Amino acid sequence: MSFSVTLQHRVLERAVDTEAAFLRLYGASPAAFWLDSEHVEPGMDRFSFLGDASGPLAEVIGYRVGSGTVTVRTADGGVREVRGTILDHLAEALRTRPVPLPEDFPFDFAGGYVGYLGYEVKADCGGSAAHRAPAPDAQWIFADRVVVVDHLAGRTYLLALADDSGRAAAQTWLRTTAAILETLPTWSNPPPITTAGDTAGLEEHLVRGRARYLRDIADCGAALRAGESYEITLTDQLVFPATSGGLDVYRTLRRANPAPYSAYLRFGDLEIACSSPERFLKIDRDRTVETKPIKGTARRDPDPIVDEQLRRALTEDPKTRAENVMIVDLLRNDLGRVCEIGSVRVRELLVTETYSTLHQLVSTVRGTLRADTGVVDCLRACFPGGSMTGAPKIRTMQIIDTLETRARGVYSGTIGFLGLGGTADLNIVIRTAVRYAGTWQIGAGGAIVLDSVAAAEYDEMLLKAAAVYRALATGPVGAAAPATEVTAAG
């Protein structure tokens, strides 16, 4: 199928509040996305991207590992099955749908695919299909209508892709949407919400529980001593009935645990509320690839002196530093498979980043994609993110498969965009709650190495889960603005 479109756009000279914009434009949409960097921190992403699947060229793509086909639902109600994996489909779609990015755009996404890959897509990237997730393993929206908010420069961009027959409708959408956004408040960072920092009440919802998790850590230790792995990222999950909507939970989570790679996704009865601080892969228009693995977590403390002591202890801890360096080496190897020889470099090593609830130890690795390599080739080479597996990746994932009793699902996968201009920005799905089939699921874990202390590893896992769990317990923030349907024609 030929794909000949033009990009039309309009700019508002202020940054519209993204929460108000999402509620007004897409609050009732059955499939919608909100890639959210509104809570800007120095050096972090400054752009938020909002949209749904109501445009005339829009599609919703679903995939289950092992099915051999991808389901594509078009805006006109059509459904077709395409043979291959989700990565095969995305690679072909991006190859046949090139749309150059305007040079004066300060961001790298002007239409394309927004969605997620669940952890079990590892089976299409060299891993095994050990467990089956209840929800689809991947879902993506082909976004032909996008609202972009530049929080730093104070601008809002409206973007519309249109074929020859759809240019008038695109102009109508731009005009109508701009008029709605002009009625909404200008962006400002709202005050954070403080939630309880303790882990009381969490353990009753764990899938495997404390005793089993400690036994699993012992089994990890045996595998490490046998030389089968250097580092094993072991996780557990909280699962409990869903009594609140995903959007309400996300509105609380983004203020209780703000993070630069946050996102809210809705695909029918699947909702994802994500407050991830970790970048998986960013590929810019110059084909520079960046990954920022996190290994090492410490709690915050309201006493500034104690808080600084916790931060320093994290930075100086030999075990934590070793965990981080091992994942950096793994990612250098992953990027080396798709980047130009000699271009992969560690730009920052063992840097502390501080968030409202946690300190994290982060490194940054960059390279340049080879000319014969595309965005999806890079994604396939690096998925799942090494910080969620351990090293060496394939053997360590096999060990994890024998210990973890159910699929991780969306958790440990990735959320973000794949742009038609050959760009991408994808996170690691951590600090995330997933609502599906009447239940909430929250995953959490940590890296097990030879000198791990089992009880401390268990406590760290609970600490990570608590940041999300408490947002669910806090309840919704504020009153929702009424949703307004904005169609392609109006």
Side-chain angles (χ1 to χ4, degrees):
M1 182 177 69
S2 62
F3 187 81
S4 177
V5 301
T6 58
L7 175 65
Q8 302 182 45
H9 72 280
R10 188 164 180 160
V11 182
L12 307 181
E13 291 298 328
R14 66 187 182 94
V16 174
D17 182 87
T18 56
E19 182 170 333
F22 187 87
L23 291 168
R24 185 71 178 273
L25 297 175
Y26 310 120
S29 299
F33 63 87
W34 177 7
L35 305 182
D36 180 17
S37 290
E38 180 164 339
H39 291 277
V40 177
E41 300 190 33
M44 303 300 179
D45 270 7
R46 72 192 224 194
F47 304 107
S48 293
F49 303 89
L50 303 84
D52 68 0
S54 65
L57 302 178
E59 299 172 345
V60 177
I61 302 165
Y63 174 70
R64 283 189 176 275
V65 168
S67 65
T69 60
V70 174
T71 301
V72 180
R73 302 179 186 277
T74 56
D76 61 4
V79 180
R80 69 180 190 275
E81 300 289 329
V82 181
R83 291 187 60 80
T85 69
I86 185 64
L87 295 176
D88 295 335
H89 180 80
L90 290 171
E92 178 63 13
L94 292 170
R95 186 187 66 80
T96 58
R97 295 178 163 185
V99 177
L101 278 164
E103 292 185 3
D104 58 342
F105 278 14
F107 45 87
D108 287 331
F109 182 69
Y113 293 89
V114 181
Y116 73 88
L117 298 178
Y119 177 73
E120 277 63 45
V121 175
K122 68 186 175 70
D124 298 329
C125 304
S128 302
H131 306 292
R132 180 176 173 84
D137 293 303
Q139 294 189 92
W140 294 78
I141 294 170
F142 178 73
D144 62 340
R145 303 284 191 265
V146 184
V147 176
V148 186
V149 180
D150 183 342
H151 303 289
L152 184 63
R155 291 191 183 90
T156 302
Y157 295 76
L158 310 182
L159 314 177
L161 297 173
D163 56 20
D164 291 341
S165 64
R167 292 179 181 176
Q171 285 297 318
T172 300
W173 180 85
L174 291 170
R175 184 173 61 253
T176 303
T177 306
I180 292 171
L181 294 180
E182 289 288 12
T183 69
L184 301 180
T186 297
W187 166 76
S188 63
N189 259 334
I193 297 172
T194 301
T195 59
D198 62 76
T199 59
L202 270 70
E203 293 181 275
E204 66 186 85
H205 301 299
L206 287 170
V207 170
R208 301 202 307 284
R210 187 178 193 276
R212 174 63 186 271
Y213 198 79
L214 295 179
R215 289 200 302 271
D216 291 341
I217 291 174
D219 288 341
C220 288
L224 294 166
R225 288 189 295 273
E228 296 182 67
S229 178
Y230 305 109
E231 177 177 349
I232 302 169
T233 301
L234 183 69
T235 76
D236 200 356
Q237 297 169 22
L238 309 179
V239 178
F240 48 94
T243 58
S244 53
L247 183 53
D248 285 341
V249 167
Y250 180 65
R251 293 171 64 204
T252 302
L253 182 62
R254 69 193 296 266
R255 289 175 60 181
N257 191 50
Y261 310 115
S262 296
Y264 170 75
L265 299 181
R266 182 195 298 127
F267 290 93
D269 60 348
L270 172 72
E271 294 180 277
I272 304 169
C274 173
S275 60
S276 174
E278 183 169 1
R279 167 171 281 159
F280 174 36
L281 290 171
K282 178 178 173 64
I283 303 172
D284 66 20
R285 64 189 75 194
D286 297 321
R287 298 176 62 79
T288 298
V289 186
E290 178 182 273
T291 183
K292 297 186 66 173
I294 291 174
K295 274 297 170 195
T297 303
R299 67 174 178 86
R300 299 294 309 277
D301 193 277
D303 183 329
I305 295 175
V306 175
D307 192 57
E308 176 60 16
Q309 290 172 343
L310 291 169
R311 189 196 68 79
R312 282 185 174 275
L314 174 69
T315 304
E316 297 169 0
D317 179 50
K319 170 184 170 292
T320 300
R321 294 173 69 87
E323 290 176 8
N324 197 294
V325 169
M326 280 189 275
I327 298 305
V328 166
D329 284 344
L330 186 154
L331 287 165
R332 288 173 61 212
N333 179 71
D334 285 349
L335 290 181
R337 297 162 59 191
V338 291
C339 287
E340 293 178 357
I341 294 173
S343 71
V344 178
R345 294 282 188 272
V346 179
R347 302 299 178 181
E348 292 182 322
L349 185 65
L350 306 174
V351 174
T352 305
E353 291 183 357
T354 295
Y355 301 91
S356 61
T357 59
L358 300 169
H359 299 291
Q360 307 266 204
L361 200 62
V362 185
S363 296
T364 302
V365 185
R366 294 195 189 113
T368 303
L369 276 187
R370 296 197 313 264
D372 62 345
T373 302
V375 167
V376 177
D377 296 317
C378 184
L379 178 54
R380 195 192 306 266
C382 296
F383 189 84
S387 62
M388 302 309 297
T389 64
K393 184 182 288 187
I394 298 300
R395 176 58 186 139
T396 302
M397 287 193 295
Q398 292 170 349
I399 296 169
I400 291 168
D401 288 341
T402 67
L403 299 175
E404 298 185 2
T405 57
R406 60 180 284 164
R408 292 185 181 180
V410 179
Y411 170 67
S412 296
T414 187
I415 292 170
F417 69 71
L418 303 172
L420 299 182
T423 58
D425 204 352
L426 302 155
N427 73 7
I428 295 284
V429 181
I430 54 176
R431 317 292 188 270
T432 297
V434 179
R435 187 180 192 273
Y436 184 71
T439 65
W440 281 109
Q441 175 181 314
I442 298 171
I448 310 302
V449 294
L450 276 172
D451 55 354
S452 288
V453 176
E457 295 291 352
Y458 177 77
D459 290 343
E460 180 180 324
M461 180 270 292
L462 286 183
L463 173 67
K464 293 172 180 175
V468 181
Y469 181 77
R470 295 304 170 200
L472 273 76
T474 300
V477 176
T484 301
E485 184 177 358
V486 183
T487 66

